[in-house]
Amino acid sequence: MNNLNQNNGMQKRMIIMTIVVFVFFIAYEFLVLKPQQEAKMAQAKIEQEQKQNSAPEVSTSQVVAENSVNTPNVDTISSKNVSNSQIVSVIKTAKNIIEIDNLGRVAQVTLTEEKYKDENGAQIKLFEANQLKPLEVRFADINVNEEAFKINVLPSSSSIDATQEKQELVLTQTLTNTVLTKKFTIYPDGHYDLTVSSTNDKAFFISNGFRPNVLVDMYAVHGFITKLNDDSLTTIEDGGSKKNENFVGSKFISNFDRYYATVIYNFEKSLQVTVMPDDSNNPQAFIHSSGNTTFSGYIGPKNHRVLESLNPELIDVIDYGWFTFIAKPMFVLLQFLQSYIGNWGWTIVALTILVKLVLYPLSYKGMVSMQKLKDLAPKMKEIQLKYKDDKQKQSMHMMELYKKHGANPMGGCLPLLLQIPIFFAIYRVLINAIELKGAEWIFWIHDLAAMDPFFVLPILMGATMYIQQKITPTTVQDELQKKIFQLLPIIFTFFFLWFPAGLTLYWFVNNLFTIGQQYVINKTFERKRAEHK
């Protein structure tokens, strides 16, 4: 059996470990991942600018993949800056404006809905001018490939209005040994169907492009994701693509940042895809074609309802990280509540209350256990002093004491540990929810996806965390540990200053209800103590 020091030590370590998980998770992303990402982006920008005015290079040898098919070489990727003079067709839908350049690629997508505005008040544009563009074609034949970057495409129309009903656009690129044709059907909701074909059976590869570069930060996963025929998902984060990887039987591929994605999908005839690293080890995907390929595409916000309307399986484009299995149903619940409440802020409040009610039995158990341990602290100390030279007897009497009073030295820690996956799932849901963008709550909160401009919620969150700490019983005696606990409200407040208001609101409301629960339990124990006097 464990002795007193072992029991107390284990309990302290469990509590501290739980808190360290929270602090480390937030601090690591804020202090390590964000600077690394910014450095990578800055380096990539310099490298792209250096290549900007040079023609695309073509490798003299094709890479042979593990499945023995030719794959495009990363050096063939064009990073030319496309100016307005290179735009050959402009497509307007009810959701966006799509600009097609002289090589038949998507040069830019501008979101036209009112809520999608940047910090300068301009409508959000998804792509950098010099990145790998969606629908860029790379021919397996090197000579054809070189020519393809010199010959402009001919559009069937320079202006397409698909705001009310679907429209068609045909892009034709006539080369010496082949004619490449892209036949679009564009829908008002912004998605499209596309058939790409080449004459003379000229094999080619077509890309969904580099991810949108609107919001790449420490908070969310960004990179590449694919879903295979066996329904497995593979994610390759930016910076994590070290070598060519091949996927046979992809239902969809997507490159994405926190809120936006460029998606290609075909649920009837799966895709064969090669993902290769760029100079910064970011993933870039190419679909294989022997001369003809058909698929559908979507470029825009990772809105749950929009993706579901295209195909329910596209919901998997939204990557919640490790806790996806909890986060997905959590978001479905959040969306269900919002459909009745109508306001995302109050929906978050309602979700928080609902989660607290579901977890109440666990929370109650933990709180009661901590109260019992607090009441037993003097007796525990007596046993510790009385049997300080006999650890076996000390342990035996401690166990008897626990058993007599129904106390569990681990009772306050385990419920807390079991709640960690729930917290991180909600964290990922609220961080990734584009639905919160432009969603007002009350008074000063006009965008739940942005930080609180006046820091009111982070301060309230820190204050309630402090109050919660003060009224929660603890058996921690070590002074250093006490000081660490006392600093936590300040540390958390600091980190939450820059967190989305929606997430801070969740934690603040969660603290309020935890304080209420703890207050009721404290009063109950005080009454019981008074009755036994």
PDB file of all heavy atoms in Angstrom, residues 12 107 186 189 266 277 322 387 459 513 515 528:
ATOM      1  N   LYS A  12      -0.941  15.530  -5.804  1.00  0.00           N
ATOM      2  CA  LYS A  12      -0.369  16.810  -6.222  1.00  0.00           C
ATOM      3  C   LYS A  12       0.143  16.735  -7.656  1.00  0.00           C
ATOM      4  O   LYS A  12      -0.066  17.646  -8.458  1.00  0.00           O
ATOM      5  CB  LYS A  12       0.765  17.210  -5.276  1.00  0.00           C
ATOM      6  CG  LYS A  12       0.307  17.559  -3.870  1.00  0.00           C
ATOM      7  CD  LYS A  12       1.512  17.769  -2.956  1.00  0.00           C
ATOM      8  CE  LYS A  12       1.092  17.955  -1.501  1.00  0.00           C
ATOM      9  NZ  LYS A  12       2.255  18.061  -0.597  1.00  0.00           N
ATOM     10  N   ALA A 107      -6.351  32.284 -60.523  1.00  0.00           N
ATOM     11  CA  ALA A 107      -5.357  33.234 -60.027  1.00  0.00           C
ATOM     12  C   ALA A 107      -5.768  33.830 -58.687  1.00  0.00           C
ATOM     13  O   ALA A 107      -4.929  34.113 -57.829  1.00  0.00           O
ATOM     14  CB  ALA A 107      -5.153  34.355 -61.047  1.00  0.00           C
ATOM     15  N   ILE A 186     -20.131  26.180 -63.589  1.00  0.00           N
ATOM     16  CA  ILE A 186     -20.018  26.963 -62.355  1.00  0.00           C
ATOM     17  C   ILE A 186     -21.405  27.197 -61.781  1.00  0.00           C
ATOM     18  O   ILE A 186     -22.334  27.588 -62.492  1.00  0.00           O
ATOM     19  CB  ILE A 186     -19.323  28.311 -62.614  1.00  0.00           C
ATOM     20  CG1 ILE A 186     -17.950  28.086 -63.259  1.00  0.00           C
ATOM     21  CG2 ILE A 186     -19.159  29.080 -61.324  1.00  0.00           C
ATOM     22  CD1 ILE A 186     -17.883  28.433 -64.703  1.00  0.00           C
ATOM     23  N   ASP A 189     -23.554  28.836 -55.889  1.00  0.00           N
ATOM     24  CA  ASP A 189     -22.968  28.725 -54.552  1.00  0.00           C
ATOM     25  C   ASP A 189     -21.445  28.726 -54.577  1.00  0.00           C
ATOM     26  O   ASP A 189     -20.801  28.625 -53.527  1.00  0.00           O
ATOM     27  CB  ASP A 189     -23.478  27.474 -53.836  1.00  0.00           C
ATOM     28  CG  ASP A 189     -23.100  26.182 -54.548  1.00  0.00           C
ATOM     29  OD1 ASP A 189     -22.360  26.235 -55.549  1.00  0.00           O
ATOM     30  OD2 ASP A 189     -23.562  25.105 -54.110  1.00  0.00           O
ATOM     31  N   ASN A 266     -14.248  13.791 -55.942  1.00  0.00           N
ATOM     32  CA  ASN A 266     -14.986  12.932 -56.860  1.00  0.00           C
ATOM     33  C   ASN A 266     -15.368  11.683 -56.080  1.00  0.00           C
ATOM     34  O   ASN A 266     -14.512  10.867 -55.742  1.00  0.00           O
ATOM     35  CB  ASN A 266     -14.148  12.558 -58.090  1.00  0.00           C
ATOM     36  CG  ASN A 266     -14.974  11.872 -59.171  1.00  0.00           C
ATOM     37  OD1 ASN A 266     -15.938  11.167 -58.870  1.00  0.00           O
ATOM     38  ND2 ASN A 266     -14.600  12.072 -60.424  1.00  0.00           N
ATOM     39  N   PRO A 277       6.644  17.926 -51.263  1.00  0.00           N
ATOM     40  CA  PRO A 277       7.001  19.115 -50.478  1.00  0.00           C
ATOM     41  C   PRO A 277       7.498  20.248 -51.354  1.00  0.00           C
ATOM     42  O   PRO A 277       8.135  20.022 -52.388  1.00  0.00           O
ATOM     43  CB  PRO A 277       8.119  18.595 -49.566  1.00  0.00           C
ATOM     44  CG  PRO A 277       8.753  17.485 -50.351  1.00  0.00           C
ATOM     45  CD  PRO A 277       7.645  16.848 -51.144  1.00  0.00           C
ATOM     46  N   TRP A 322      -6.422  15.995 -32.899  1.00  0.00           N
ATOM     47  CA  TRP A 322      -6.478  14.732 -32.169  1.00  0.00           C
ATOM     48  C   TRP A 322      -7.869  14.394 -31.653  1.00  0.00           C
ATOM     49  O   TRP A 322      -8.233  13.228 -31.532  1.00  0.00           O
ATOM     50  CB  TRP A 322      -5.515  14.759 -30.971  1.00  0.00           C
ATOM     51  CG  TRP A 322      -4.077  14.760 -31.376  1.00  0.00           C
ATOM     52  CD1 TRP A 322      -3.574  14.521 -32.627  1.00  0.00           C
ATOM     53  CD2 TRP A 322      -2.955  15.007 -30.534  1.00  0.00           C
ATOM     54  NE1 TRP A 322      -2.210  14.610 -32.616  1.00  0.00           N
ATOM     55  CE2 TRP A 322      -1.793  14.913 -31.334  1.00  0.00           C
ATOM     56  CE3 TRP A 322      -2.803  15.315 -29.187  1.00  0.00           C
ATOM     57  CZ2 TRP A 322      -0.524  15.104 -30.834  1.00  0.00           C
ATOM     58  CZ3 TRP A 322      -1.541  15.506 -28.687  1.00  0.00           C
ATOM     59  CH2 TRP A 322      -0.408  15.397 -29.502  1.00  0.00           C
ATOM     60  N   TYR A 387       3.377   8.384  13.031  1.00  0.00           N
ATOM     61  CA  TYR A 387       4.052   7.212  12.455  1.00  0.00           C
ATOM     62  C   TYR A 387       5.129   7.637  11.440  1.00  0.00           C
ATOM     63  O   TYR A 387       5.347   6.964  10.440  1.00  0.00           O
ATOM     64  CB  TYR A 387       3.032   6.300  11.772  1.00  0.00           C
ATOM     65  CG  TYR A 387       1.976   5.768  12.709  1.00  0.00           C
ATOM     66  CD1 TYR A 387       0.701   6.323  12.696  1.00  0.00           C
ATOM     67  CD2 TYR A 387       2.256   4.730  13.597  1.00  0.00           C
ATOM     68  CE1 TYR A 387      -0.286   5.855  13.556  1.00  0.00           C
ATOM     69  CE2 TYR A 387       1.279   4.247  14.457  1.00  0.00           C
ATOM     70  CZ  TYR A 387       0.006   4.818  14.434  1.00  0.00           C
ATOM     71  OH  TYR A 387      -0.965   4.353  15.292  1.00  0.00           O
ATOM     72  N   ILE A 459     -10.276  39.375 -18.990  1.00  0.00           N
ATOM     73  CA  ILE A 459     -10.134  39.822 -17.601  1.00  0.00           C
ATOM     74  C   ILE A 459     -11.184  39.158 -16.717  1.00  0.00           C
ATOM     75  O   ILE A 459     -10.888  38.711 -15.606  1.00  0.00           O
ATOM     76  CB  ILE A 459     -10.236  41.362 -17.527  1.00  0.00           C
ATOM     77  CG1 ILE A 459      -9.015  41.988 -18.210  1.00  0.00           C
ATOM     78  CG2 ILE A 459     -10.335  41.833 -16.087  1.00  0.00           C
ATOM     79  CD1 ILE A 459      -9.105  43.492 -18.386  1.00  0.00           C
ATOM     80  N   PHE A 513     -20.097  28.781 -13.720  1.00  0.00           N
ATOM     81  CA  PHE A 513     -20.892  27.656 -13.253  1.00  0.00           C
ATOM     82  C   PHE A 513     -20.092  26.739 -12.324  1.00  0.00           C
ATOM     83  O   PHE A 513     -20.665  26.131 -11.416  1.00  0.00           O
ATOM     84  CB  PHE A 513     -21.463  26.879 -14.443  1.00  0.00           C
ATOM     85  CG  PHE A 513     -22.716  27.490 -14.984  1.00  0.00           C
ATOM     86  CD1 PHE A 513     -22.652  28.533 -15.882  1.00  0.00           C
ATOM     87  CD2 PHE A 513     -23.961  27.057 -14.563  1.00  0.00           C
ATOM     88  CE1 PHE A 513     -23.806  29.130 -16.364  1.00  0.00           C
ATOM     89  CE2 PHE A 513     -25.119  27.643 -15.033  1.00  0.00           C
ATOM     90  CZ  PHE A 513     -25.050  28.684 -15.943  1.00  0.00           C
ATOM     91  N   ILE A 515     -17.871  27.872 -10.223  1.00  0.00           N
ATOM     92  CA  ILE A 515     -17.927  28.613  -8.955  1.00  0.00           C
ATOM     93  C   ILE A 515     -19.259  28.339  -8.250  1.00  0.00           C
ATOM     94  O   ILE A 515     -19.303  28.107  -7.041  1.00  0.00           O
ATOM     95  CB  ILE A 515     -17.756  30.127  -9.211  1.00  0.00           C
ATOM     96  CG1 ILE A 515     -16.308  30.431  -9.627  1.00  0.00           C
ATOM     97  CG2 ILE A 515     -18.119  30.939  -7.961  1.00  0.00           C
ATOM     98  CD1 ILE A 515     -16.097  31.849 -10.125  1.00  0.00           C
ATOM     99  N   LYS A 528     -23.169  20.487   7.259  1.00  0.00           N
ATOM    100  CA  LYS A 528     -22.955  19.179   7.873  1.00  0.00           C
ATOM    101  C   LYS A 528     -21.998  19.284   9.053  1.00  0.00           C
ATOM    102  O   LYS A 528     -22.179  18.615  10.079  1.00  0.00           O
ATOM    103  CB  LYS A 528     -22.403  18.195   6.839  1.00  0.00           C
ATOM    104  CG  LYS A 528     -23.448  17.748   5.819  1.00  0.00           C
ATOM    105  CD  LYS A 528     -22.851  16.737   4.850  1.00  0.00           C
ATOM    106  CE  LYS A 528     -23.902  16.251   3.856  1.00  0.00           C
ATOM    107  NZ  LYS A 528     -23.338  15.274   2.881  1.00  0.00           N
TER     108      LYS A 528
END
